[in-house]
Amino acid sequence: MINTNPVYQLEMKTSARTVKFCALILIFNGLLALISFLILNDMMEQSQYSGTMEYEGLINMYSIMSYIEFGMFMLVIPSSTSGSISGEKERRTLDILLTGKMSTYSVVIGKLMASLNIVMLLAVSSLPVFSIVFLFGGITIVDLFVMLATLMISGVFVGSIGILFSVVCKKTTTATILSYSSILALIGGTYVMNYLVYHLTGAKERTEGVRRLIYSFLINPAVTYSTMVSNQVANRDLLKQLYLKFAPGMIHGRVIQHWIFFSLVMQVGISFGLIGVAGWILNPLHKKR
Amino acid sequence: MSEQWLEVRNLTKNYGKFRALNGLNMEMKEGELFGFVGPNGAGKTTTIKIIAGLLRADTGQIFLDQVDITKDLVALKENIGYVPDYFGVYDNLKVMEYMEFYASTYGLIGREVRELSLELLEIVGLEEKENQYVDALSRGMQQRLCLARALVHNPKILILDEPASGLDPSSRVAMKNVLMELAMNGKTILISSHILSELSEMCSSIGIIQKGEMILQGSIKEIVSSVNTMNPLIIHILKRQEETVAFLRAHPLVKTLAISGNEFQIIFEGDAKEEAYLLQELVEKQIPVISFGRKKDNLESIYMKITTEGGEKSD
């Protein structure tokens, strides 16, 4: 269905022609390949002396590459979506676009999907580098697809934040600053909020309600992604550490057991809400101005 | 079919405390090339944006072929083609791709779109540019491309907001010729412009807007003749100046008289029939008349007169 969205098609056509896009694929994959080469090289060198292979290094390589991928999504998507509608305003092409028969929701979804598609293309192009980990086992192809699915949902989430600011702001610069600030607030702000509440309330005042503030991490894509990667590589779990720090009594609750599911559902729900609001605001006939 | 094919009724629009449109009424007939003029800030762009569905009016209705398009958005989008005053460009997009993209925003896809786009590019004289990048075209070509784009869904009415602004003279002429050709082929066109000489050459009707109200509207011929009847009557004679002065001073419809040699400029409060009788009387008195007629205004002087004097409301 998305393939028939004219805005999506236009964005894909025009962005794929740019040198910037080709350079982005080259640099991103080059960086991943370099990191994996360095780690593998280090493993090989060590095995020459010890006579054994340290598989932990390989697992670390997967973790590092996954986090790089996540970082790339968090950096590229807001920058791309926050300029999508405000860019139309700056180019003065928005009015013409809105006189067409496309609904404003289709315009917003087309822009968001095009931004996501660009980073998905980056993610898919990096699969050959990722597949090095299959040589030694420990990570399955299902793990890779779960990682991509989590990335996709978190991408939609931060992308819809970018789109909303792009619709509200007249200038791309303002929209970009606000988008990054909001994502920073989601990632760092939820931690700061829990930290402050924890330290400002005494042990007796820490009621069930206060401890439930831990659920604010459900909308923190970094925590959820980290939990997912930790589950895959059986590493230290960031989420458990957060629970132990801020809500130790709730560590056996149902939410933590299904954290990734709840968080992703919540991110999808909020994304739908943000896209809906963005589409509504974009409709010129809803404007009071 | 209604006589008034596009009818704007009592349109109002406020931006905060500023009233941009103050009960604007406007009528257009099918196949008309209508010029929409007014000073900056008079409400032209606001009116155009409301008709194009890009702005919501506070009150009022717009009927297109008896359908209230303020309530029927599908009818609005299907029937209106809009050309803004500024041509926005997407990077890395070719002319044909530009046409196909906008066609697809109206749900039009496939080979027919390509053929239709080629036809439209031919109408605006860009048929040889289909594989060029849009941002490489000149401003005049881009504006003509925008015009072709606005026609891609075959709208009943084409609305252009100052399409000639920023264009060089040759591009303006090219644009004017395209619009006149479209009008000759039956397309209804509403065009706002500051270049009154061009409007008077191509438009069949005009509307003058000031402070959010339509202060004068009608065919150019009607407007010019109605304004001219208020102009002084100029009579140029060969000789017999004294008799002429005596006769004109005694005439009940002559209000003022200014004499410059054998030329008389009078304020005559009569219609065309009474003008004819005046001429007849002069001839009967054997006064040799060289020329006789009202001082003629063009659209530009009419516009200046109306907008600087505050304007009289017309029906």
Side-chain angles (χ1 to χ4, degrees):
Chain A
M1 194 181 77
I2 192 70
N3 272 333
T4 59
N5 185 311
V7 170
Y8 169 81
Q9 285 183 328
L10 175 81
E11 291 289 325
M12 291 315 296
K13 192 180 282 179
T14 52
S15 61
R17 278 179 183 157
T18 59
V19 178
K20 199 172 103 182
F21 183 61
C22 302
L24 190 65
I25 293 180
L26 181 74
I27 292 167
F28 175 67
N29 283 301
L31 185 72
L32 285 183
L34 182 70
I35 289 167
S36 56
F37 170 76
L38 289 175
I39 293 171
L40 274 179
N41 192 48
D42 188 49
M43 281 170 63
M44 293 298 178
E45 273 185 4
Q46 279 186 9
S47 69
Q48 280 178 348
Y49 294 109
S50 63
T52 54
M53 204 64 155
E54 287 288 335
Y55 285 107
E56 202 183 333
L58 210 65
I59 295 296
N60 283 341
M61 185 176 92
Y62 174 78
S63 296
I64 291 167
M65 289 202 296
S66 301
Y67 287 122
I68 288 175
E69 198 113 311
F70 178 77
M72 185 220 24
F73 264 63
M74 294 298 117
L75 282 175
V76 175
I77 294 179
S79 125
S80 161
T81 52
S82 61
S84 56
I85 303 291
S86 55
E88 294 272 351
K89 290 178 200 168
E90 286 169 341
R91 278 193 304 266
R92 297 175 73 175
T93 46
L94 185 64
D95 275 357
I96 300 177
L97 191 58
L98 295 179
T99 52
K101 279 174 88 176
M102 278 183 84
S103 73
T104 50
Y105 300 101
S106 298
V107 172
V108 165
I109 290 168
K111 291 280 183 189
L112 179 62
M113 287 302 134
S115 299
L116 280 174
N117 219 30
I118 289 165
V119 280
M120 277 312 280
L121 200 59
L122 284 178
V124 170
S125 71
S126 69
L127 284 179
V129 180
F130 265 90
S131 61
I132 291 171
V133 294
F134 297 142
L135 289 173
F136 304 95
I139 298 292
T140 64
I141 197 151
V142 175
D143 290 332
L144 270 186
F145 283 114
V146 169
M147 183 200 74
L148 284 180
T150 311
L151 271 179
M152 182 77 175
I153 291 172
S154 293
V156 171
F157 182 45
V158 294
S160 57
I161 293 171
I163 285 273
L164 181 63
F165 283 118
S166 191
V167 168
V168 172
C169 301
K170 281 183 183 166
K171 293 202 181 280
T172 301
T173 317
T174 320
T176 308
I177 291 169
L178 288 173
S179 302
Y180 279 125
S181 306
S182 305
I183 291 156
L184 199 66
L186 277 178
I187 294 175
T190 43
Y191 182 84
V192 172
M193 189 171 68
N194 275 275
Y195 182 86
L196 286 177
V197 170
Y198 180 82
H199 285 281
L200 291 175
T201 53
K204 283 183 183 172
E205 292 163 314
R206 257 174 241 139
T207 58
E208 185 82 354
V210 171
R211 284 199 294 270
R212 276 187 184 150
L213 202 58
I214 191 88
Y215 296 151
S216 61
F217 287 113
L218 282 167
I219 56 164
N220 185 329
V223 169
T224 302
Y225 189 76
S226 160
T227 307
M228 185 272 305
V229 175
S230 300
N231 287 352
Q232 289 182 343
V233 300
N235 241 347
R236 271 173 46 176
D237 191 338
L238 173 68
L239 183 65
K240 267 188 190 150
Q241 287 175 36
L242 291 171
Y243 260 82
L244 288 171
K245 189 171 176 62
F246 299 125
M250 295 167 76
I251 201 153
H252 299 296
R254 187 182 290 174
V255 176
I256 192 170
Q257 306 297 328
H258 305 284
W259 183 271
I260 296 172
F261 172 76
F262 282 129
S263 173
L264 294 183
V265 167
M266 202 169 246
Q267 288 181 41
V268 169
I270 294 172
S271 304
F272 271 112
L274 294 175
I275 291 166
V277 172
W280 193 87
I281 296 173
L282 189 60
N283 188 337
L285 299 177
H286 287 155
K287 272 185 195 157
K288 275 250 165 192
R289 68 170 172 82
Chain B
M1 188 178 59
S2 166
E3 176 72 4
Q4 273 74 46
W5 191 64
L6 176 80
E7 195 177 354
V8 175
R9 280 189 206 160
N10 201 29
L11 220 55
T12 62
K13 178 75 189 170
N14 295 299
Y15 295 108
K17 286 181 181 173
F18 175 70
R19 175 153 281 210
L21 295 181
N22 188 19
L24 181 108
N25 291 298
M26 189 166 90
E27 288 159 2
M28 270 178 76
K29 296 185 180 81
E30 191 172 9
E32 209 169 42
L33 208 165
F34 186 92
F36 193 36
V37 292
N40 287 335
K44 298 188 296 293
T45 299
T46 301
T47 308
I48 282 177
K49 284 199 165 186
I50 291 171
I51 299 173
L54 291 170
L55 205 57
R56 192 183 64 179
D58 294 338
T59 60
Q61 292 165 300
I62 302 164
F63 291 93
L64 181 67
D65 207 4
Q66 296 176 338
V67 175
D68 185 353
I69 55 172
T70 54
K71 288 178 183 150
D72 188 344
L73 273 182
V74 176
L76 188 152
K77 288 179 182 261
E78 275 176 359
N79 292 315
I80 295 204
Y82 169 65
V83 178
D85 57 344
Y86 183 86
F87 183 85
V89 187
Y90 289 105
D91 295 333
N92 304 308
L93 200 64
K94 292 177 181 175
V95 168
M96 183 52 78
E97 290 168 345
Y98 174 87
M99 293 295 290
E100 286 173 340
F101 166 62
Y102 283 106
S104 66
T105 66
Y106 288 96
L108 307 168
I109 45 170
R111 183 177 284 185
E112 294 91 22
V113 171
R114 196 177 170 80
E115 282 163 13
L116 173 72
S117 298
L118 276 173
E119 274 176 39
L120 293 171
L121 289 175
E122 201 176 327
I123 291 172
V124 298
L126 293 173
E127 66 274 23
E128 286 172 8
K129 306 282 181 188
E130 64 164 309
N131 289 319
Q132 277 203 13
Y133 281 99
V134 175
D135 47 2
L137 297 178
S138 71
R139 179 85 201 270
M141 286 179 185
Q142 287 182 344
Q143 200 66 337
R144 276 184 281 144
L145 176 62
C146 197
L147 181 61
R149 187 269 314 153
L151 292 165
V152 79
H153 60 296
N154 194 21
K156 284 182 179 172
I157 179 165
L158 192 59
I159 299 175
L160 301 98
D161 190 4
E162 302 198 20
S165 71
L167 297 188
D168 60 48
S170 60
S171 300
R172 264 192 235 159
V173 170
M175 188 74 165
K176 187 182 83 181
N177 291 341
V178 172
L179 289 174
M180 287 175 79
E181 196 184 322
L182 286 169
M184 277 195 313
N185 290 328
K187 191 65 79 186
T188 309
I189 301 170
L190 169 68
I191 175 169
S192 98
S193 177
H194 278 126
I195 305 159
L196 297 170
S197 53
E198 270 179 17
L199 283 186
S200 64
E201 279 172 36
M202 63 178 165
C203 292
S204 44
S205 300
I206 60 156
I208 299 177
I209 180 176
Q210 193 174 29
K211 292 177 183 168
E213 288 179 66
M214 190 66 88
I215 54 173
L216 190 67
Q217 184 183 346
S219 76
I220 290 187
K221 219 173 174 181
E222 281 166 14
I223 287 173
V224 170
S225 65
S226 74
V227 171
N228 282 343
T229 56
M230 294 180 284
N231 281 348
L233 193 61
I234 296 165
I235 304 164
H236 195 192
I237 59 166
L238 191 63
K239 54 183 181 178
R240 301 191 67 189
Q241 193 201 42
E242 282 175 19
E243 289 94 323
T244 309
V245 171
F247 168 70
L248 291 175
R249 282 206 171 125
H251 199 287
L253 293 175
V254 175
K255 296 298 159 192
T256 63
L257 173 64
I259 308 159
S260 169
N262 281 342
E263 191 181 283
F264 302 86
Q265 192 165 313
I266 60 171
I267 299 295
F268 183 75
E269 288 187 341
D271 57 15
K273 194 175 162 187
E274 283 152 342
E275 273 176 40
Y277 286 137
L278 178 71
L279 177 62
Q280 190 182 352
E281 283 177 77
L282 285 167
V283 173
E284 279 170 3
K285 287 186 183 297
Q286 295 189 330
I287 295 168
V289 178
I290 297 171
S291 65
F292 180 97
R294 295 270 184 186
K295 189 181 170 186
K296 285 202 166 48
D297 274 327
N298 58 19
L299 189 57
E300 208 142 15
S301 56
I302 290 170
Y303 170 79
M304 289 306 293
K305 199 180 274 182
I306 290 169
T307 53
T308 51
E309 284 170 5
E312 290 173 40
K313 282 193 186 181
S314 79
D315 292 332

